[in-house]
Amino acid sequence: MKKALKIIGVIIIIIVAISFIFDGVSEESIKKDIDKIENQVALEAVEKYEIAKRNGNDMDAYVQASMAAAAFLEANDEENYKKWKEIEKQEAKKVGL
């Protein structure tokens, strides 16, 4: 009986350990997927800015530059965030802001 309880205890410990390991892997995988999505959103915001710049008016370009800056901020991409804040400022001047 004691041997059976020890075996059951070991099995429970192994199951708990495995669940912790897989939970960690899942969280890491989810984080990577979220990072990819945030970067893709930022790149799409840049594409929208370029379309607005070519086909829209100055206000359209300003709004899309703001959206691109916000997308890079959300993606924690400081270098591109600074770049797009500068572009946003340039576009703001064109619309009198």
Side-chain angles (χ1 to χ4, degrees):
M1 186 70 167
K2 287 183 181 181
K3 191 174 185 179
L5 289 176
K6 285 182 181 180
I7 292 172
I8 292 172
V10 169
I11 290 172
I12 290 172
I13 290 171
I14 290 172
I15 291 171
V16 169
I18 289 172
S19 71
F20 279 120
I21 290 169
F22 284 116
D23 281 345
V25 170
S26 295
E27 288 177 23
E28 185 178 313
S29 176
I30 291 169
K31 174 72 173 123
K32 286 180 182 178
D33 288 344
I34 289 172
D35 289 346
K36 274 201 259 186
I37 291 167
E38 288 173 341
N39 289 330
Q40 184 62 39
V41 168
L43 294 175
E44 288 174 5
V46 170
E47 289 175 3
K48 289 177 183 179
Y49 166 79
E50 291 170 352
I51 292 169
K53 185 85 172 155
R54 284 191 307 270
N55 300 299
N57 58 35
D58 289 339
M59 182 58 81
D60 295 332
Y62 165 71
V63 169
Q64 292 306 317
S66 298
M67 296 297 288
F72 283 113
L73 178 62
E74 187 66 29
N76 294 315
D77 185 339
E78 188 171 352
E79 183 179 336
N80 279 310
Y81 173 71
K82 287 179 184 178
K83 173 185 171 181
W84 281 94
K85 285 304 283 185
E86 269 308 306
I87 293 170
E88 178 186 8
K89 286 178 189 175
Q90 293 167 4
E91 297 295 343
K93 287 179 185 177
K94 292 178 184 177
V95 295
L97 298 175

